[in-house]
Amino acid sequence: VSYYVGTLGTHTEIKKVAEEKVTLPCHHQLGLPEKDTLDIEWLLTDREGNQKVVITYSSHHVYNNLTEEQRGRVAFASNFLAGDASLQIEPLKPSDEGRYTCKVKNSGRYVWSYVILKVLVRPSKPKCELEGELTEGSDLTLQCESSSGTEPIVYSWQRVQEKAGEDERLPPKSKIDYNRPGRVLLQNLTMSSSGLYQCTAGNEAGKESCVVRVTVQYVQSVGMIAGAVTGMVAGALLIFLLVWLLIRRKDKKRYEEEERPNEIREDAEAPKARLVKPSSSSSGSRSSRSGSSSTRSTANSGSRSQRTPCTEAARRPGLGAHAYGPVGPEARGSEPKKASHATLTKAENTPSTIPSQSRAFQTV
């Protein structure tokens, strides 16, 4: 808090952190002679130049709810009738920043007091980020920034001790970007550059910090990891291809088996008869059966052969008479006799003789 006295009254400058309580001083001796004519008024001129009434005392009444921004947060700090018209604000907000004027009037006399209030805002928690490759020999940028806070905000980077004896200073080849104080460049990373780094953002109101871990990797290890990943991917693709080929082959084989019975091949040979050796018991019966059937077939064929000429002879009387009539002169001059019906019937019913070939076939 700073004070100085001018021709128009006392000037005071106060800096306070937001969310705290502040008391703006205003003292006078005008209220002692005539209290009934005492008037007190506090005015605020904000950063945009707008002026508004904060609190007043007039005609034995206090009016302290004149603005929405300060409603319920402003009041007289002490006994204003006894000469202390100081103003109290709690909790403090950034919108309370500005120039305050205290006017006291009594019996035609005036006293002015001026207070410049500056509200400080603590930096918000910064965000730590990494830019670059975490490989040995490469460069890495550490970045830190707070989204809000009263300017100027000062940033600083340091290493965090995780083990006893570790150095808190940054690696030797580190550069600070003065155009952007929250940026630090770590050049030519080594394995010793790995660790925990902390950024601190601070101003007059306070400090906030964040941390980030840096893990430097060998270039060889990175290549091995990339090769392993590539090998795994190639192996998976190869297995997938083999499975696909096996499935296709199995489907093709099943399709061929289903289509094979339906094929008609013109050049295919007829199936050969299978020779079965009959047993002794069954062969005899089969031979007897085949012999009897052969006998019947032969007899039927013989009867048919004999029945055919007879029938033809019956149909042709002249031919029949010539074949069966007597030979001689009488026969030549006489008229051929007709065969009787009884003779033809007897000839048909007469069993024929089985030829020797049929008999031989039956024996075999």
Side-chain angles (χ1 to χ4, degrees), residues 154-172:
V154 179
Y155 298 93
S156 62
W157 281 93
Q158 66 178 8
R159 298 187 65 170
V160 179
Q161 287 186 352
E162 298 183 283
K163 297 180 181 179
E166 288 185 347
D167 193 359
E168 295 184 357
R169 294 176 299 179
L170 296 177

Side-chain angles (χ1 to χ4, degrees), residues 209-237:
S209 61
C210 63
V211 294
V212 64
R213 179 171 294 280
V214 175
T215 304
V216 182
Q217 299 179 357
Y218 284 113
V219 178
Q220 294 85 351
S221 63
V222 173
M224 292 177 62
I225 293 174
V229 171
T230 304
M232 291 176 63
V233 173
L237 292 176

Side-chain angles (χ1 to χ4, degrees), residues 264-280:
I264 299 176
R265 299 181 57 183
E266 296 180 357
D267 58 344
E269 296 181 359
K272 296 181 180 180
R274 183 180 298 178
L275 299 178
V276 179
K277 184 178 182 182
S279 60
S280 60

